[in-house]
PDB file of all heavy atoms in Angstrom:
ATOM      1  N   SER A 927      16.711  -1.502  11.744  1.00  0.00           N
ATOM      2  CA  SER A 927      16.916  -1.468  13.189  1.00  0.00           C
ATOM      3  C   SER A 927      15.673  -1.933  13.926  1.00  0.00           C
ATOM      4  O   SER A 927      14.549  -1.708  13.477  1.00  0.00           O
ATOM      5  CB  SER A 927      17.261  -0.050  13.635  1.00  0.00           C
ATOM      6  OG  SER A 927      17.459  -0.017  15.033  1.00  0.00           O
ATOM      7  N   ILE A 928      15.892  -2.584  15.047  1.00  0.00           N
ATOM      8  CA  ILE A 928      14.774  -2.987  15.910  1.00  0.00           C
ATOM      9  C   ILE A 928      14.740  -2.116  17.171  1.00  0.00           C
ATOM     10  O   ILE A 928      13.897  -2.290  18.020  1.00  0.00           O
ATOM     11  CB  ILE A 928      14.859  -4.476  16.306  1.00  0.00           C
ATOM     12  CG1 ILE A 928      16.169  -4.782  17.023  1.00  0.00           C
ATOM     13  CG2 ILE A 928      14.681  -5.355  15.087  1.00  0.00           C
ATOM     14  CD1 ILE A 928      16.272  -6.184  17.578  1.00  0.00           C
ATOM     15  N   HIS A 929      15.656  -1.157  17.242  1.00  0.00           N
ATOM     16  CA  HIS A 929      15.750  -0.276  18.407  1.00  0.00           C
ATOM     17  C   HIS A 929      15.527   1.170  17.991  1.00  0.00           C
ATOM     18  O   HIS A 929      16.151   1.657  17.057  1.00  0.00           O
ATOM     19  CB  HIS A 929      17.143  -0.415  19.040  1.00  0.00           C
ATOM     20  CG  HIS A 929      17.335   0.468  20.222  1.00  0.00           C
ATOM     21  ND1 HIS A 929      18.057   1.635  20.169  1.00  0.00           N
ATOM     22  CD2 HIS A 929      16.899   0.365  21.487  1.00  0.00           C
ATOM     23  CE1 HIS A 929      18.053   2.211  21.342  1.00  0.00           C
ATOM     24  NE2 HIS A 929      17.371   1.454  22.167  1.00  0.00           N
ATOM     25  N   ASN A 930      14.623   1.837  18.687  1.00  0.00           N
ATOM     26  CA  ASN A 930      14.397   3.262  18.491  1.00  0.00           C
ATOM     27  C   ASN A 930      14.965   3.962  19.719  1.00  0.00           C
ATOM     28  O   ASN A 930      14.418   3.829  20.814  1.00  0.00           O
ATOM     29  CB  ASN A 930      12.899   3.547  18.346  1.00  0.00           C
ATOM     30  CG  ASN A 930      12.618   5.012  18.145  1.00  0.00           C
ATOM     31  OD1 ASN A 930      13.528   5.813  17.975  1.00  0.00           O
ATOM     32  ND2 ASN A 930      11.353   5.367  18.179  1.00  0.00           N
ATOM     33  N   PRO A 931      16.086   4.680  19.579  1.00  0.00           N
ATOM     34  CA  PRO A 931      16.762   5.232  20.756  1.00  0.00           C
ATOM     35  C   PRO A 931      16.025   6.367  21.460  1.00  0.00           C
ATOM     36  O   PRO A 931      16.417   6.770  22.542  1.00  0.00           O
ATOM     37  CB  PRO A 931      18.099   5.731  20.193  1.00  0.00           C
ATOM     38  CG  PRO A 931      17.834   5.979  18.755  1.00  0.00           C
ATOM     39  CD  PRO A 931      16.768   5.005  18.337  1.00  0.00           C
ATOM     40  N   GLY A 932      14.957   6.884  20.879  1.00  0.00           N
ATOM     41  CA  GLY A 932      14.287   8.032  21.486  1.00  0.00           C
ATOM     42  C   GLY A 932      15.022   9.311  21.137  1.00  0.00           C
ATOM     43  O   GLY A 932      15.883   9.339  20.269  1.00  0.00           O
ATOM     44  N   SER A 933      14.715  10.385  21.837  1.00  0.00           N
ATOM     45  CA  SER A 933      15.382  11.662  21.559  1.00  0.00           C
ATOM     46  C   SER A 933      16.372  11.980  22.668  1.00  0.00           C
ATOM     47  O   SER A 933      16.397  11.324  23.709  1.00  0.00           O
ATOM     48  CB  SER A 933      14.333  12.774  21.442  1.00  0.00           C
ATOM     49  OG  SER A 933      13.688  12.946  22.690  1.00  0.00           O
ATOM     50  N   ASN A 934      17.173  13.013  22.453  1.00  0.00           N
ATOM     51  CA  ASN A 934      18.155  13.410  23.466  1.00  0.00           C
ATOM     52  C   ASN A 934      17.485  13.875  24.749  1.00  0.00           C
ATOM     53  O   ASN A 934      18.027  13.718  25.830  1.00  0.00           O
ATOM     54  CB  ASN A 934      19.058  14.523  22.927  1.00  0.00           C
ATOM     55  CG  ASN A 934      19.985  14.015  21.850  1.00  0.00           C
ATOM     56  OD1 ASN A 934      20.286  12.829  21.798  1.00  0.00           O
ATOM     57  ND2 ASN A 934      20.432  14.909  20.984  1.00  0.00           N
ATOM     58  N   THR A 935      16.310  14.469  24.632  1.00  0.00           N
ATOM     59  CA  THR A 935      15.621  14.976  25.820  1.00  0.00           C
ATOM     60  C   THR A 935      14.758  13.912  26.490  1.00  0.00           C
ATOM     61  O   THR A 935      14.446  14.026  27.657  1.00  0.00           O
ATOM     62  CB  THR A 935      14.727  16.177  25.447  1.00  0.00           C
ATOM     63  OG1 THR A 935      13.801  15.777  24.437  1.00  0.00           O
ATOM     64  CG2 THR A 935      15.575  17.340  24.960  1.00  0.00           C
ATOM     65  N   HIS A 936      14.357  12.869  25.756  1.00  0.00           N
ATOM     66  CA  HIS A 936      13.490  11.824  26.308  1.00  0.00           C
ATOM     67  C   HIS A 936      14.134  10.451  26.103  1.00  0.00           C
ATOM     68  O   HIS A 936      13.681   9.654  25.291  1.00  0.00           O
ATOM     69  CB  HIS A 936      12.109  11.848  25.644  1.00  0.00           C
ATOM     70  CG  HIS A 936      11.336  13.078  25.922  1.00  0.00           C
ATOM     71  ND1 HIS A 936      11.376  14.180  25.103  1.00  0.00           N
ATOM     72  CD2 HIS A 936      10.509  13.395  26.950  1.00  0.00           C
ATOM     73  CE1 HIS A 936      10.610  15.125  25.608  1.00  0.00           C
ATOM     74  NE2 HIS A 936      10.068  14.675  26.725  1.00  0.00           N
ATOM     75  N   GLN A 937      15.193  10.162  26.836  1.00  0.00           N
ATOM     76  CA  GLN A 937      15.864   8.868  26.723  1.00  0.00           C
ATOM     77  C   GLN A 937      14.944   7.726  27.134  1.00  0.00           C
ATOM     78  O   GLN A 937      15.090   6.607  26.666  1.00  0.00           O
ATOM     79  CB  GLN A 937      17.132   8.854  27.590  1.00  0.00           C
ATOM     80  CG  GLN A 937      18.224   9.763  27.089  1.00  0.00           C
ATOM     81  CD  GLN A 937      18.810   9.289  25.767  1.00  0.00           C
ATOM     82  OE1 GLN A 937      18.910   8.106  25.531  1.00  0.00           O
ATOM     83  NE2 GLN A 937      19.182  10.225  24.924  1.00  0.00           N
ATOM     84  N   ALA A 938      13.989   8.007  28.018  1.00  0.00           N
ATOM     85  CA  ALA A 938      13.078   6.968  28.480  1.00  0.00           C
ATOM     86  C   ALA A 938      12.118   6.529  27.379  1.00  0.00           C
ATOM     87  O   ALA A 938      11.454   5.507  27.508  1.00  0.00           O
ATOM     88  CB  ALA A 938      12.290   7.458  29.691  1.00  0.00           C
ATOM     89  N   SER A 939      12.035   7.277  26.277  1.00  0.00           N
ATOM     90  CA  SER A 939      11.114   6.907  25.203  1.00  0.00           C
ATOM     91  C   SER A 939      11.741   5.916  24.225  1.00  0.00           C
ATOM     92  O   SER A 939      11.149   5.611  23.200  1.00  0.00           O
ATOM     93  CB  SER A 939      10.656   8.167  24.454  1.00  0.00           C
ATOM     94  OG  SER A 939      11.751   8.752  23.782  1.00  0.00           O
ATOM     95  N   ALA A 940      12.924   5.410  24.545  1.00  0.00           N
ATOM     96  CA  ALA A 940      13.553   4.394  23.699  1.00  0.00           C
ATOM     97  C   ALA A 940      12.658   3.159  23.681  1.00  0.00           C
ATOM     98  O   ALA A 940      12.020   2.821  24.675  1.00  0.00           O
ATOM     99  CB  ALA A 940      14.930   4.044  24.239  1.00  0.00           C
ATOM    100  N   SER A 941      12.597   2.496  22.530  1.00  0.00           N
ATOM    101  CA  SER A 941      11.720   1.340  22.427  1.00  0.00           C
ATOM    102  C   SER A 941      12.329   0.261  21.542  1.00  0.00           C
ATOM    103  O   SER A 941      13.250   0.514  20.771  1.00  0.00           O
ATOM    104  CB  SER A 941      10.356   1.765  21.869  1.00  0.00           C
ATOM    105  OG  SER A 941      10.520   2.265  20.553  1.00  0.00           O
ATOM    106  N   TYR A 942      11.779  -0.920  21.671  1.00  0.00           N
ATOM    107  CA  TYR A 942      12.191  -2.086  20.901  1.00  0.00           C
ATOM    108  C   TYR A 942      11.008  -2.527  20.053  1.00  0.00           C
ATOM    109  O   TYR A 942       9.891  -2.650  20.556  1.00  0.00           O
ATOM    110  CB  TYR A 942      12.613  -3.202  21.865  1.00  0.00           C
ATOM    111  CG  TYR A 942      12.595  -4.584  21.277  1.00  0.00           C
ATOM    112  CD1 TYR A 942      13.563  -4.993  20.375  1.00  0.00           C
ATOM    113  CD2 TYR A 942      11.609  -5.495  21.631  1.00  0.00           C
ATOM    114  CE1 TYR A 942      13.556  -6.266  19.839  1.00  0.00           C
ATOM    115  CE2 TYR A 942      11.585  -6.764  21.097  1.00  0.00           C
ATOM    116  CZ  TYR A 942      12.568  -7.154  20.211  1.00  0.00           C
ATOM    117  OH  TYR A 942      12.548  -8.408  19.674  1.00  0.00           O
ATOM    118  N   LYS A 943      11.226  -2.713  18.757  1.00  0.00           N
ATOM    119  CA  LYS A 943      10.157  -3.159  17.869  1.00  0.00           C
ATOM    120  C   LYS A 943      10.688  -4.326  17.040  1.00  0.00           C
ATOM    121  O   LYS A 943      11.549  -4.141  16.175  1.00  0.00           O
ATOM    122  CB  LYS A 943       9.709  -2.026  16.951  1.00  0.00           C
ATOM    123  CG  LYS A 943       8.436  -2.322  16.210  1.00  0.00           C
ATOM    124  CD  LYS A 943       7.956  -1.067  15.517  1.00  0.00           C
ATOM    125  CE  LYS A 943       6.590  -1.238  14.942  1.00  0.00           C
ATOM    126  NZ  LYS A 943       6.166  -0.035  14.238  1.00  0.00           N
ATOM    127  N   PRO A 944      10.206  -5.538  17.312  1.00  0.00           N
ATOM    128  CA  PRO A 944      10.729  -6.717  16.631  1.00  0.00           C
ATOM    129  C   PRO A 944      10.606  -6.621  15.110  1.00  0.00           C
ATOM    130  O   PRO A 944       9.662  -6.019  14.585  1.00  0.00           O
ATOM    131  CB  PRO A 944       9.865  -7.862  17.163  1.00  0.00           C
ATOM    132  CG  PRO A 944       9.202  -7.331  18.383  1.00  0.00           C
ATOM    133  CD  PRO A 944       9.126  -5.848  18.237  1.00  0.00           C
ATOM    134  N   LEU A 945      11.560  -7.213  14.417  1.00  0.00           N
ATOM    135  CA  LEU A 945      11.573  -7.201  12.952  1.00  0.00           C
ATOM    136  C   LEU A 945      10.308  -7.835  12.391  1.00  0.00           C
ATOM    137  O   LEU A 945       9.708  -7.309  11.448  1.00  0.00           O
ATOM    138  CB  LEU A 945      12.803  -7.926  12.428  1.00  0.00           C
ATOM    139  CG  LEU A 945      12.918  -8.036  10.915  1.00  0.00           C
ATOM    140  CD1 LEU A 945      13.033  -6.660  10.281  1.00  0.00           C
ATOM    141  CD2 LEU A 945      14.114  -8.886  10.535  1.00  0.00           C
ATOM    142  N   LEU A 946       9.876  -8.941  12.964  1.00  0.00           N
ATOM    143  CA  LEU A 946       8.668  -9.608  12.475  1.00  0.00           C
ATOM    144  C   LEU A 946       7.458  -8.681  12.573  1.00  0.00           C
ATOM    145  O   LEU A 946       6.647  -8.602  11.647  1.00  0.00           O
ATOM    146  CB  LEU A 946       8.416 -10.896  13.260  1.00  0.00           C
ATOM    147  CG  LEU A 946       7.210 -11.725  12.852  1.00  0.00           C
ATOM    148  CD1 LEU A 946       7.300 -12.138  11.379  1.00  0.00           C
ATOM    149  CD2 LEU A 946       7.095 -12.958  13.734  1.00  0.00           C
ATOM    150  N   LYS A 947       7.356  -7.933  13.650  1.00  0.00           N
ATOM    151  CA  LYS A 947       6.251  -6.985  13.815  1.00  0.00           C
ATOM    152  C   LYS A 947       6.335  -5.870  12.771  1.00  0.00           C
ATOM    153  O   LYS A 947       5.319  -5.486  12.186  1.00  0.00           O
ATOM    154  CB  LYS A 947       6.265  -6.387  15.216  1.00  0.00           C
ATOM    155  CG  LYS A 947       5.096  -5.471  15.488  1.00  0.00           C
ATOM    156  CD  LYS A 947       5.080  -5.011  16.929  1.00  0.00           C
ATOM    157  CE  LYS A 947       3.823  -4.204  17.187  1.00  0.00           C
ATOM    158  NZ  LYS A 947       3.689  -3.844  18.591  1.00  0.00           N
ATOM    159  N   GLN A 948       7.530  -5.366  12.495  1.00  0.00           N
ATOM    160  CA  GLN A 948       7.695  -4.328  11.481  1.00  0.00           C
ATOM    161  C   GLN A 948       7.266  -4.829  10.104  1.00  0.00           C
ATOM    162  O   GLN A 948       6.581  -4.114   9.369  1.00  0.00           O
ATOM    163  CB  GLN A 948       9.161  -3.882  11.412  1.00  0.00           C
ATOM    164  CG  GLN A 948       9.654  -3.133  12.628  1.00  0.00           C
ATOM    165  CD  GLN A 948      11.112  -2.753  12.476  1.00  0.00           C
ATOM    166  OE1 GLN A 948      11.548  -2.342  11.412  1.00  0.00           O
ATOM    167  NE2 GLN A 948      11.870  -2.881  13.554  1.00  0.00           N
ATOM    168  N   VAL A 949       7.652  -6.053   9.771  1.00  0.00           N
ATOM    169  CA  VAL A 949       7.317  -6.611   8.455  1.00  0.00           C
ATOM    170  C   VAL A 949       5.814  -6.804   8.324  1.00  0.00           C
ATOM    171  O   VAL A 949       5.210  -6.419   7.314  1.00  0.00           O
ATOM    172  CB  VAL A 949       8.072  -7.941   8.228  1.00  0.00           C
ATOM    173  CG1 VAL A 949       7.564  -8.657   6.992  1.00  0.00           C
ATOM    174  CG2 VAL A 949       9.562  -7.686   8.107  1.00  0.00           C
ATOM    175  N   VAL A 950       5.166  -7.370   9.341  1.00  0.00           N
ATOM    176  CA  VAL A 950       3.716  -7.606   9.266  1.00  0.00           C
ATOM    177  C   VAL A 950       2.960  -6.281   9.221  1.00  0.00           C
ATOM    178  O   VAL A 950       1.991  -6.141   8.470  1.00  0.00           O
ATOM    179  CB  VAL A 950       3.249  -8.490  10.443  1.00  0.00           C
ATOM    180  CG1 VAL A 950       1.736  -8.596  10.487  1.00  0.00           C
ATOM    181  CG2 VAL A 950       3.868  -9.880  10.338  1.00  0.00           C
ATOM    182  N   GLU A 951       3.393  -5.292   9.994  1.00  0.00           N
ATOM    183  CA  GLU A 951       2.735  -3.973   9.942  1.00  0.00           C
ATOM    184  C   GLU A 951       2.864  -3.358   8.556  1.00  0.00           C
ATOM    185  O   GLU A 951       1.935  -2.727   8.064  1.00  0.00           O
ATOM    186  CB  GLU A 951       3.313  -3.045  11.003  1.00  0.00           C
ATOM    187  CG  GLU A 951       2.831  -3.336  12.398  1.00  0.00           C
ATOM    188  CD  GLU A 951       3.439  -2.425  13.443  1.00  0.00           C
ATOM    189  OE1 GLU A 951       4.444  -1.737  13.153  1.00  0.00           O
ATOM    190  OE2 GLU A 951       2.911  -2.407  14.566  1.00  0.00           O
ATOM    191  N   GLU A 952       4.018  -3.517   7.916  1.00  0.00           N
ATOM    192  CA  GLU A 952       4.214  -2.971   6.574  1.00  0.00           C
ATOM    193  C   GLU A 952       3.311  -3.680   5.564  1.00  0.00           C
ATOM    194  O   GLU A 952       2.718  -3.049   4.703  1.00  0.00           O
ATOM    195  CB  GLU A 952       5.680  -3.111   6.160  1.00  0.00           C
ATOM    196  CG  GLU A 952       5.970  -2.684   4.748  1.00  0.00           C
ATOM    197  CD  GLU A 952       5.673  -1.216   4.486  1.00  0.00           C
ATOM    198  OE1 GLU A 952       5.721  -0.402   5.422  1.00  0.00           O
ATOM    199  OE2 GLU A 952       5.385  -0.878   3.323  1.00  0.00           O
ATOM    200  N   ILE A 953       3.204  -4.982   5.687  1.00  0.00           N
ATOM    201  CA  ILE A 953       2.354  -5.746   4.759  1.00  0.00           C
ATOM    202  C   ILE A 953       0.893  -5.369   4.939  1.00  0.00           C
ATOM    203  O   ILE A 953       0.145  -5.267   3.965  1.00  0.00           O
ATOM    204  CB  ILE A 953       2.573  -7.259   4.967  1.00  0.00           C
ATOM    205  CG1 ILE A 953       3.968  -7.649   4.461  1.00  0.00           C
ATOM    206  CG2 ILE A 953       1.508  -8.075   4.255  1.00  0.00           C
ATOM    207  CD1 ILE A 953       4.379  -9.061   4.812  1.00  0.00           C
ATOM    208  N   CYS A 954       0.477  -5.137   6.182  1.00  0.00           N
ATOM    209  CA  CYS A 954      -0.931  -4.821   6.470  1.00  0.00           C
ATOM    210  C   CYS A 954      -1.208  -3.322   6.494  1.00  0.00           C
ATOM    211  O   CYS A 954      -2.282  -2.903   6.925  1.00  0.00           O
ATOM    212  CB  CYS A 954      -1.320  -5.433   7.812  1.00  0.00           C
ATOM    213  SG  CYS A 954      -1.237  -7.219   7.845  1.00  0.00           S
ATOM    214  N   ASN A 955      -0.282  -2.508   6.036  1.00  0.00           N
ATOM    215  CA  ASN A 955      -0.435  -1.058   6.051  1.00  0.00           C
ATOM    216  C   ASN A 955      -1.562  -0.644   5.105  1.00  0.00           C
ATOM    217  O   ASN A 955      -1.512  -0.927   3.911  1.00  0.00           O
ATOM    218  CB  ASN A 955       0.882  -0.404   5.621  1.00  0.00           C
ATOM    219  CG  ASN A 955       0.858   1.101   5.743  1.00  0.00           C
ATOM    220  OD1 ASN A 955      -0.178   1.705   6.024  1.00  0.00           O
ATOM    221  ND2 ASN A 955       2.000   1.710   5.535  1.00  0.00           N
ATOM    222  N   PRO A 956      -2.586   0.046   5.617  1.00  0.00           N
ATOM    223  CA  PRO A 956      -3.700   0.437   4.754  1.00  0.00           C
ATOM    224  C   PRO A 956      -3.339   1.514   3.732  1.00  0.00           C
ATOM    225  O   PRO A 956      -3.990   1.640   2.703  1.00  0.00           O
ATOM    226  CB  PRO A 956      -4.762   0.944   5.736  1.00  0.00           C
ATOM    227  CG  PRO A 956      -4.003   1.334   6.954  1.00  0.00           C
ATOM    228  CD  PRO A 956      -2.790   0.458   7.001  1.00  0.00           C
ATOM    229  N   ASP A 957      -2.283   2.291   3.987  1.00  0.00           N
ATOM    230  CA  ASP A 957      -1.874   3.325   3.037  1.00  0.00           C
ATOM    231  C   ASP A 957      -1.204   2.720   1.814  1.00  0.00           C
ATOM    232  O   ASP A 957      -1.115   3.367   0.774  1.00  0.00           O
ATOM    233  CB  ASP A 957      -0.928   4.326   3.710  1.00  0.00           C
ATOM    234  CG  ASP A 957      -1.601   5.065   4.841  1.00  0.00           C
ATOM    235  OD1 ASP A 957      -2.842   5.183   4.809  1.00  0.00           O
ATOM    236  OD2 ASP A 957      -0.886   5.502   5.761  1.00  0.00           O
ATOM    237  N   ARG A 958      -0.699   1.512   1.960  1.00  0.00           N
ATOM    238  CA  ARG A 958      -0.159   0.693   0.883  1.00  0.00           C
ATOM    239  C   ARG A 958       0.918   1.351   0.018  1.00  0.00           C
ATOM    240  O   ARG A 958       0.824   1.323  -1.198  1.00  0.00           O
ATOM    241  CB  ARG A 958      -1.285   0.214  -0.004  1.00  0.00           C
ATOM    242  CG  ARG A 958      -2.313  -0.594   0.727  1.00  0.00           C
ATOM    243  CD  ARG A 958      -3.340  -1.038  -0.231  1.00  0.00           C
ATOM    244  NE  ARG A 958      -2.680  -1.478  -1.433  1.00  0.00           N
ATOM    245  CZ  ARG A 958      -2.823  -2.647  -1.995  1.00  0.00           C
ATOM    246  NH1 ARG A 958      -3.652  -3.478  -1.494  1.00  0.00           N
ATOM    247  NH2 ARG A 958      -2.176  -2.974  -3.086  1.00  0.00           N
ATOM    248  N   PRO A 959       1.945   1.890   0.609  1.00  0.00           N
ATOM    249  CA  PRO A 959       3.060   2.318  -0.241  1.00  0.00           C
ATOM    250  C   PRO A 959       3.796   1.081  -0.737  1.00  0.00           C
ATOM    251  O   PRO A 959       3.605  -0.008  -0.206  1.00  0.00           O
ATOM    252  CB  PRO A 959       3.934   3.127   0.709  1.00  0.00           C
ATOM    253  CG  PRO A 959       3.668   2.531   2.046  1.00  0.00           C
ATOM    254  CD  PRO A 959       2.214   2.109   2.020  1.00  0.00           C
ATOM    255  N   ASP A 960       4.615   1.250  -1.756  1.00  0.00           N
ATOM    256  CA  ASP A 960       5.419   0.122  -2.211  1.00  0.00           C
ATOM    257  C   ASP A 960       6.413  -0.227  -1.115  1.00  0.00           C
ATOM    258  O   ASP A 960       7.174   0.631  -0.671  1.00  0.00           O
ATOM    259  CB  ASP A 960       6.190   0.470  -3.489  1.00  0.00           C
ATOM    260  CG  ASP A 960       5.349   0.301  -4.734  1.00  0.00           C
ATOM    261  OD1 ASP A 960       4.317  -0.410  -4.652  1.00  0.00           O
ATOM    262  OD2 ASP A 960       5.705   0.863  -5.772  1.00  0.00           O
ATOM    263  N   PRO A 961       6.413  -1.473  -0.666  1.00  0.00           N
ATOM    264  CA  PRO A 961       7.385  -1.851   0.368  1.00  0.00           C
ATOM    265  C   PRO A 961       8.808  -1.721  -0.170  1.00  0.00           C
ATOM    266  O   PRO A 961       9.102  -2.171  -1.266  1.00  0.00           O
ATOM    267  CB  PRO A 961       7.060  -3.307   0.676  1.00  0.00           C
ATOM    268  CG  PRO A 961       5.801  -3.625  -0.046  1.00  0.00           C
ATOM    269  CD  PRO A 961       5.564  -2.565  -1.054  1.00  0.00           C
ATOM    270  N   VAL A 962       9.661  -1.099   0.598  1.00  0.00           N
ATOM    271  CA  VAL A 962      11.025  -0.834   0.152  1.00  0.00           C
ATOM    272  C   VAL A 962      11.890  -2.083   0.284  1.00  0.00           C
ATOM    273  O   VAL A 962      12.610  -2.450  -0.629  1.00  0.00           O
ATOM    274  CB  VAL A 962      11.634   0.324   0.974  1.00  0.00           C
ATOM    275  CG1 VAL A 962      13.052   0.593   0.556  1.00  0.00           C
ATOM    276  CG2 VAL A 962      10.789   1.567   0.838  1.00  0.00           C
ATOM    277  N   ASP A 963      11.807  -2.758   1.420  1.00  0.00           N
ATOM    278  CA  ASP A 963      12.673  -3.904   1.689  1.00  0.00           C
ATOM    279  C   ASP A 963      12.003  -5.246   1.443  1.00  0.00           C
ATOM    280  O   ASP A 963      12.607  -6.281   1.686  1.00  0.00           O
ATOM    281  CB  ASP A 963      13.168  -3.855   3.139  1.00  0.00           C
ATOM    282  CG  ASP A 963      14.152  -2.726   3.381  1.00  0.00           C
ATOM    283  OD1 ASP A 963      14.862  -2.363   2.428  1.00  0.00           O
ATOM    284  OD2 ASP A 963      14.216  -2.214   4.502  1.00  0.00           O
ATOM    285  N   ILE A 964      10.760  -5.236   0.994  1.00  0.00           N
ATOM    286  CA  ILE A 964      10.052  -6.486   0.696  1.00  0.00           C
ATOM    287  C   ILE A 964       9.915  -6.584  -0.810  1.00  0.00           C
ATOM    288  O   ILE A 964       9.378  -5.686  -1.446  1.00  0.00           O
ATOM    289  CB  ILE A 964       8.654  -6.524   1.357  1.00  0.00           C
ATOM    290  CG1 ILE A 964       8.786  -6.391   2.868  1.00  0.00           C
ATOM    291  CG2 ILE A 964       7.927  -7.802   0.984  1.00  0.00           C
ATOM    292  CD1 ILE A 964       7.467  -6.263   3.589  1.00  0.00           C
ATOM    293  N   GLU A 965      10.379  -7.675  -1.366  1.00  0.00           N
ATOM    294  CA  GLU A 965      10.378  -7.826  -2.820  1.00  0.00           C
ATOM    295  C   GLU A 965       9.350  -8.876  -3.239  1.00  0.00           C
ATOM    296  O   GLU A 965       9.261  -9.948  -2.635  1.00  0.00           O
ATOM    297  CB  GLU A 965      11.762  -8.261  -3.298  1.00  0.00           C
ATOM    298  CG  GLU A 965      11.881  -8.355  -4.795  1.00  0.00           C
ATOM    299  CD  GLU A 965      13.290  -8.703  -5.227  1.00  0.00           C
ATOM    300  OE1 GLU A 965      14.221  -8.461  -4.459  1.00  0.00           O
ATOM    301  OE2 GLU A 965      13.439  -9.235  -6.337  1.00  0.00           O
ATOM    302  N   HIS A 966       8.573  -8.549  -4.247  1.00  0.00           N
ATOM    303  CA  HIS A 966       7.616  -9.506  -4.795  1.00  0.00           C
ATOM    304  C   HIS A 966       8.340 -10.410  -5.775  1.00  0.00           C
ATOM    305  O   HIS A 966       9.077  -9.953  -6.643  1.00  0.00           O
ATOM    306  CB  HIS A 966       6.482  -8.772  -5.512  1.00  0.00           C
ATOM    307  CG  HIS A 966       5.493  -9.702  -6.128  1.00  0.00           C
ATOM    308  ND1 HIS A 966       5.577 -10.087  -7.445  1.00  0.00           N
ATOM    309  CD2 HIS A 966       4.427 -10.347  -5.608  1.00  0.00           C
ATOM    310  CE1 HIS A 966       4.591 -10.922  -7.715  1.00  0.00           C
ATOM    311  NE2 HIS A 966       3.888 -11.089  -6.612  1.00  0.00           N
ATOM    312  N   ILE A 967       8.136 -11.712  -5.625  1.00  0.00           N
ATOM    313  CA  ILE A 967       8.732 -12.678  -6.543  1.00  0.00           C
ATOM    314  C   ILE A 967       7.640 -13.157  -7.478  1.00  0.00           C
ATOM    315  O   ILE A 967       6.612 -13.672  -7.043  1.00  0.00           O
ATOM    316  CB  ILE A 967       9.360 -13.851  -5.777  1.00  0.00           C
ATOM    317  CG1 ILE A 967      10.482 -13.332  -4.881  1.00  0.00           C
ATOM    318  CG2 ILE A 967       9.885 -14.902  -6.741  1.00  0.00           C
ATOM    319  CD1 ILE A 967      11.077 -14.370  -3.973  1.00  0.00           C
ATOM    320  N   SER A 968       7.844 -12.970  -8.765  1.00  0.00           N
ATOM    321  CA  SER A 968       6.841 -13.321  -9.760  1.00  0.00           C
ATOM    322  C   SER A 968       6.652 -14.829  -9.824  1.00  0.00           C
ATOM    323  O   SER A 968       7.617 -15.585  -9.786  1.00  0.00           O
ATOM    324  CB  SER A 968       7.260 -12.814 -11.139  1.00  0.00           C
ATOM    325  OG  SER A 968       7.445 -11.432 -11.089  1.00  0.00           O
ATOM    326  N   SER A 969       5.382 -15.229  -9.966  1.00  0.00           N
ATOM    327  CA  SER A 969       5.117 -16.660 -10.021  1.00  0.00           C
ATOM    328  C   SER A 969       4.425 -17.077 -11.307  1.00  0.00           C
ATOM    329  O   SER A 969       4.487 -18.222 -11.695  1.00  0.00           O
ATOM    330  CB  SER A 969       4.260 -17.072  -8.821  1.00  0.00           C
ATOM    331  OG  SER A 969       3.038 -16.361  -8.852  1.00  0.00           O
TER     332      SER A 969
END
């Protein structure tokens, strides 16, 4: 999803987060968990 609906009490906190931004943040994540939706292709 690219939409975060917020909570029932704070509808104004709904936000939009582009897919490209989510992917780059995951790749550059310093905690470095295994990416769930990003697959490494062996070369």
Side-chain angles (χ1 to χ4, degrees):
S927 180
I928 58 174
H929 179 257
N930 180 7
S933 65
N934 290 336
T935 57
H936 295 92
Q937 291 293 325
S939 66
S941 63
Y942 159 73
K943 192 171 189 182
L945 178 63
L946 181 58
K947 184 174 185 174
Q948 292 179 41
V949 170
V950 173
E951 284 179 345
E952 175 62 27
I953 290 171
C954 297
N955 186 353
D957 297 335
R958 301 181 43 125
D960 277 341
V962 179
D963 290 330
I964 301 174
E965 184 176 337
H966 178 265
I967 298 174
S968 302
S969 60

